[in-house]
Structures are given as structure tokens and as C-alpha cells.
Amino acid sequence: MGQVSIPQFIIIDDDYINNILCREYILLAFPEADVQSFTSAPAGLDYIDAQDNTRDESDIMLFLDINMPVMSGWELLERLMLLPDKLKQKVVVYMLTSSVDRDDLQIAEKIPFISGLIEKPLSIPELKKIFPGMINLA
């Protein structure tokens, strides 16, 4: 049986503490994971844009905060849609929010690029929903 590829994880959230929590939960579930975090949406977008498409075939799992200064998560998504298709197709987006706003839910449902909306903080149960059968933590 082939080994399941663990995606690269990118967290973009202006809340440094939330980034630490996300990182720790991801590493608890996937100790070998490559996890990058950014408190600046433009810096995170630049990092994604700079990814070498030939690096490997794994997906990029992006946990993206909705409300951030300078560039919101929605604005980052608009710019992400301008990236080359080969890179864009590797990115799986989960929006992070501190409160599930009805308007945010409606917007997220209309954008097929978004795989889901997660109320902060990210947790092991949420990771289990995203990666069923891959996480054996209680």
C-alpha cells in the first residue's frame, strides 16, 4: 500500500497566538509536516506564489483568517486566483474565523475554491474532519 502524502501547511492569520495553536495541533497530528505561518497576508501570499511547482506533488493546505488588517482573507483569495493554474490547483483553502458570521458563510459557500469555514481555534476534531482516517489522536 502506498504512503499517503501529507500536504504542506500554511497558516495566514494576524493573530500570532492562533498561529502557534494551529501549528501545534497540525504537528501533533502530523509530526513530519512542513508548517509555515504568517501574520501578514501579503507575506503569506508571496510565499505561496514563490513555491516551486516541481517541488513535489503534495497539496498546500491553507488555513486563512478572514479578518486581517492590510489585506483581508477575501482579498488574499482574489489575488490567489490570479496565480498560475498549476500552483492554484494545489492549494486547498479553509477559512478561519473567530466568530461564524452568517455573511461570511454565504460568501464562502459561493466560492468553490474554499473547502470549508472553521471557527478558531483549529482543533484535532476539525483536523479529523479534514483528514478522516489519517489522524489517530483522541
Side-chain angles (χ1 to χ4, degrees):
M1 179 186 267
Q3 186 176 13
V4 177
S5 177
I6 297 173
Q8 175 185 18
F9 292 88
I10 299 174
I11 307 156
I12 303 176
D13 189 333
D14 63 312
D15 182 345
Y16 178 74
I17 300 300
N18 187 66
N19 287 354
I20 291 172
L21 288 172
C22 286
R23 179 182 185 83
E24 291 304 312
Y25 281 127
I26 291 166
L27 289 174
L28 185 62
F30 302 105
E32 303 296 320
D34 175 9
V35 183
Q36 303 295 321
S37 64
F38 301 89
T39 55
S40 160
L45 181 62
D46 288 346
Y47 179 82
I48 293 169
D49 190 24
Q51 294 305 293
D52 178 7
N53 294 333
T54 61
R55 182 175 152 233
D56 61 31
E57 292 303 316
S58 68
D59 288 332
I60 296 171
M61 184 68 58
L62 174 60
F63 292 105
L64 176 61
D65 186 24
I66 293 175
N67 296 310
M68 295 181 285
V70 181
M71 179 189 297
S72 73
W74 303 124
E75 292 168 321
L76 186 142
L77 278 177
E78 288 175 13
R79 294 198 185 168
L80 194 63
M81 295 306 296
L82 301 175
L83 295 177
D85 286 342
K86 186 174 180 182
L87 176 59
K88 191 170 48 182
Q89 291 169 358
K90 292 174 62 171
V91 180
V92 178
V93 179
Y94 282 87
M95 302 301 287
L96 297 173
T97 182
S98 52
S99 64
V100 178
D101 181 303
R102 186 177 164 140
D103 292 337
D104 289 338
L105 280 172
Q106 290 176 342
I107 293 169
E109 288 173 353
K110 292 178 183 176
I111 302 173
F113 198 59
I114 299 173
S115 295
L117 192 74
I118 298 173
E119 190 169 358
K120 291 187 206 178
L122 180 65
S123 64
I124 294 296
E126 283 295 333
L127 286 170
K128 284 183 176 182
K129 287 180 193 173
I130 296 168
F131 299 100
M134 289 181 64
I135 300 174
N136 297 319
L137 300 172

Coordinates of all heavy atoms in Angstrom, one line a residue, residues 53-86:
N53 N 6.6 24.8 -8.4 CA 5.6 23.8 -8.7 C 6.1 22.4 -8.9 O 5.4 21.4 -8.9 CB 4.9 24.2 -10.0 CG 4.1 25.5 -9.9 OD1 3.7 25.8 -8.8 ND2 4.0 26.3 -10.9
T54 N 7.4 22.2 -9.1 CA 8.0 20.9 -9.3 C 8.5 20.3 -8.0 O 9.1 19.2 -8.0 CB 9.2 21.0 -10.3 OG1 10.2 21.8 -9.8 CG2 8.7 21.5 -11.6
R55 N 8.4 21.0 -6.9 CA 8.9 20.6 -5.6 C 8.4 19.2 -5.2 O 9.2 18.3 -4.9 CB 8.5 21.6 -4.5 CG 9.1 21.3 -3.1 CD 8.7 22.4 -2.2 NE 8.6 21.8 -0.8 CZ 7.6 21.9 -0.1 NH1 6.6 22.6 -0.4 NH2 7.6 21.3 1.1
D56 N 7.1 19.0 -5.3 CA 6.5 17.7 -5.1 C 5.1 17.8 -5.5 O 4.6 18.8 -5.8 CB 6.7 17.2 -3.6 CG 6.1 18.1 -2.6 OD1 5.1 18.7 -2.9 OD2 6.6 18.1 -1.5
E57 N 4.4 16.7 -5.4 CA 3.0 16.7 -5.8 C 2.0 16.9 -4.7 O 0.8 16.8 -4.9 CB 2.7 15.4 -6.5 CG 3.4 15.2 -7.8 CD 3.1 16.3 -8.8 OE1 1.9 16.7 -8.9 OE2 4.1 16.9 -9.4
S58 N 2.5 17.2 -3.5 CA 1.6 17.3 -2.3 C 0.8 18.6 -2.4 O 1.3 19.6 -3.0 CB 2.3 17.3 -1.0 OG 3.2 18.4 -0.9
D59 N -0.3 18.6 -1.9 CA -1.2 19.8 -1.8 C -0.6 20.8 -0.8 O 0.2 20.5 0.0 CB -2.6 19.4 -1.4 CG -3.4 18.7 -2.4 OD1 -3.1 18.9 -3.6 OD2 -4.3 17.9 -2.1
I60 N -1.1 22.0 -0.9 CA -0.8 23.1 0.1 C -2.1 23.3 0.8 O -3.1 23.7 0.2 CB -0.3 24.4 -0.6 CG1 1.0 24.1 -1.4 CG2 -0.2 25.5 0.4 CD1 1.4 25.3 -2.2
M61 N -2.1 23.0 2.1 CA -3.3 23.2 2.9 C -3.2 24.6 3.5 O -2.3 24.8 4.4 CB -3.4 22.1 4.0 CG -4.6 22.1 4.8 SD -6.1 21.7 4.0 CE -5.8 20.1 3.3
L62 N -4.1 25.5 3.1 CA -4.0 26.9 3.6 C -5.1 27.1 4.6 O -6.3 27.0 4.3 CB -4.1 27.8 2.4 CG -4.3 29.3 2.7 CD1 -3.1 29.8 3.5 CD2 -4.5 30.1 1.4
F63 N -4.7 27.5 5.8 CA -5.7 28.0 6.8 C -5.6 29.5 6.8 O -4.6 30.0 7.2 CB -5.4 27.4 8.2 CG -5.6 25.9 8.2 CD1 -4.5 25.0 8.2 CD2 -6.9 25.4 8.3 CE1 -4.7 23.6 8.2 CE2 -7.1 24.0 8.3 CZ -6.0 23.1 8.3
L64 N -6.7 30.2 6.4 CA -6.6 31.6 6.1 C -7.6 32.3 7.0 O -8.9 32.1 6.9 CB -6.9 31.8 4.6 CG -7.0 33.2 4.1 CD1 -5.7 34.0 4.3 CD2 -7.4 33.2 2.6
D65 N -7.2 33.3 7.8 CA -8.0 34.1 8.6 C -8.8 35.0 7.7 O -8.3 35.5 6.6 CB -7.2 34.9 9.6 CG -8.0 35.7 10.5 OD1 -9.2 35.4 10.8 OD2 -7.5 36.7 11.1
I66 N -10.1 35.3 8.0 CA -10.9 36.2 7.2 C -10.6 37.7 7.5 O -10.4 38.4 6.6 CB -12.4 35.9 7.5 CG1 -12.8 34.5 7.0 CG2 -13.3 37.0 6.8 CD1 -14.2 34.1 7.3
N67 N -10.6 38.0 8.8 CA -10.4 39.5 9.1 C -9.0 39.8 9.5 O -8.6 39.4 10.6 CB -11.4 39.8 10.2 CG -12.9 39.7 9.8 OD1 -13.2 40.2 8.7 ND2 -13.7 39.0 10.5
M68 N -8.3 40.5 8.7 CA -6.9 40.9 8.9 C -6.7 42.3 8.4 O -7.4 42.7 7.5 CB -5.9 40.0 8.2 CG -5.9 38.5 8.7 SD -4.7 37.5 7.8 CE -5.5 37.3 6.3
P69 N -5.8 43.0 9.1 CA -5.5 44.4 8.6 C -4.7 44.3 7.3 O -4.2 43.2 7.0 CB -4.7 45.0 9.7 CG -4.1 43.9 10.4 CD -5.1 42.7 10.3
V70 N -4.6 45.3 6.6 CA -3.8 45.5 5.3 C -4.5 44.7 4.2 O -4.9 45.3 3.2 CB -2.4 45.1 5.4 CG1 -1.6 45.3 4.1 CG2 -1.7 45.8 6.6
M71 N -4.7 43.4 4.3 CA -5.3 42.6 3.3 C -6.2 41.5 4.0 O -5.6 40.7 4.8 CB -4.3 41.9 2.4 CG -4.8 41.0 1.3 SD -3.6 40.0 0.5 CE -2.6 41.2 -0.3
S72 N -7.5 41.5 3.7 CA -8.3 40.5 4.4 C -8.1 39.1 3.7 O -7.5 39.1 2.6 CB -9.8 40.9 4.2 OG -10.2 40.8 2.9
G73 N -8.7 38.1 4.3 CA -8.6 36.8 3.7 C -9.3 36.8 2.4 O -8.9 36.1 1.4
W74 N -10.4 37.5 2.3 CA -11.2 37.6 1.0 C -10.3 38.2 -0.1 O -10.3 37.8 -1.2 CB -12.5 38.3 1.1 CG -13.4 37.8 2.2 CD1 -14.0 38.5 3.2 CD2 -14.0 36.5 2.3 NE1 -14.8 37.7 4.0 CE2 -14.8 36.4 3.4 CE3 -13.8 35.3 1.5 CZ2 -15.5 35.3 3.8 CZ3 -14.5 34.2 1.9 CH2 -15.3 34.1 3.0
E75 N -9.6 39.3 0.3 CA -8.7 40.0 -0.7 C -7.6 39.0 -1.1 O -7.2 39.0 -2.3 CB -8.2 41.3 -0.1 CG -9.2 42.3 0.1 CD -8.8 43.5 0.9 OE1 -8.1 43.3 1.9 OE2 -9.2 44.6 0.6
L76 N -7.0 38.3 -0.2 CA -6.0 37.4 -0.5 C -6.5 36.3 -1.5 O -5.8 36.0 -2.4 CB -5.4 36.7 0.8 CG -4.2 35.8 0.6 CD1 -3.2 36.0 1.7 CD2 -4.5 34.4 0.4
L77 N -7.7 35.8 -1.2 CA -8.3 34.8 -2.2 C -8.4 35.4 -3.6 O -8.1 34.7 -4.6 CB -9.6 34.4 -1.7 CG -9.7 33.3 -0.6 CD1 -11.1 33.0 -0.2 CD2 -9.0 32.0 -1.1
E78 N -8.8 36.6 -3.7 CA -8.9 37.3 -5.0 C -7.5 37.2 -5.7 O -7.4 36.9 -6.9 CB -9.4 38.7 -4.9 CG -10.8 38.8 -4.6 CD -11.3 40.2 -4.3 OE1 -10.5 41.2 -4.7 OE2 -12.4 40.4 -3.8
R79 N -6.5 37.6 -5.0 CA -5.1 37.6 -5.6 C -4.6 36.1 -5.8 O -3.9 35.9 -6.8 CB -4.1 38.3 -4.7 CG -4.5 39.8 -4.6 CD -3.4 40.6 -4.1 NE -3.8 42.0 -3.9 CZ -3.1 42.9 -3.3 NH1 -2.0 42.6 -2.8 NH2 -3.6 44.1 -3.2
L80 N -5.0 35.2 -5.0 CA -4.6 33.8 -5.2 C -5.2 33.3 -6.5 O -4.5 32.5 -7.1 CB -5.1 33.0 -4.0 CG -4.6 31.6 -3.8 CD1 -3.1 31.6 -3.5 CD2 -5.3 30.9 -2.6
M81 N -6.4 33.7 -6.8 CA -7.0 33.3 -8.1 C -6.2 33.7 -9.3 O -6.4 33.2 -10.4 CB -8.4 33.8 -8.2 CG -9.3 33.2 -7.1 SD -9.3 31.4 -7.0 CE -10.0 31.0 -8.6
L82 N -5.3 34.7 -9.2 CA -4.5 35.2 -10.3 C -3.2 34.4 -10.5 O -2.5 34.6 -11.4 CB -4.2 36.7 -10.1 CG -5.4 37.6 -10.0 CD1 -4.9 39.0 -9.6 CD2 -6.2 37.6 -11.2
L83 N -2.9 33.5 -9.5 CA -1.7 32.7 -9.6 C -1.8 31.7 -10.8 O -2.9 31.3 -11.2 CB -1.4 32.0 -8.3 CG -1.1 32.9 -7.1 CD1 -0.9 32.0 -5.9 CD2 0.1 33.7 -7.3
P84 N -0.7 31.1 -11.2 CA -0.7 30.1 -12.3 C -1.6 28.9 -11.9 O -1.6 28.5 -10.7 CB 0.8 29.7 -12.4 CG 1.6 30.8 -11.9 CD 0.7 31.5 -10.8
D85 N -2.3 28.4 -12.8 CA -3.3 27.3 -12.6 C -2.6 26.1 -11.9 O -3.1 25.5 -11.0 CB -4.0 26.8 -13.8 CG -5.0 27.8 -14.3 OD1 -5.5 28.7 -13.5 OD2 -5.4 27.8 -15.5
K86 N -1.4 25.8 -12.3 CA -0.7 24.6 -11.8 C -0.5 24.7 -10.3 O -0.6 23.8 -9.5 CB 0.6 24.4 -12.5 CG 1.3 23.1 -12.0 CD 2.6 22.8 -12.9 CE 3.2 21.5 -12.4 NZ 4.4 21.3 -13.1

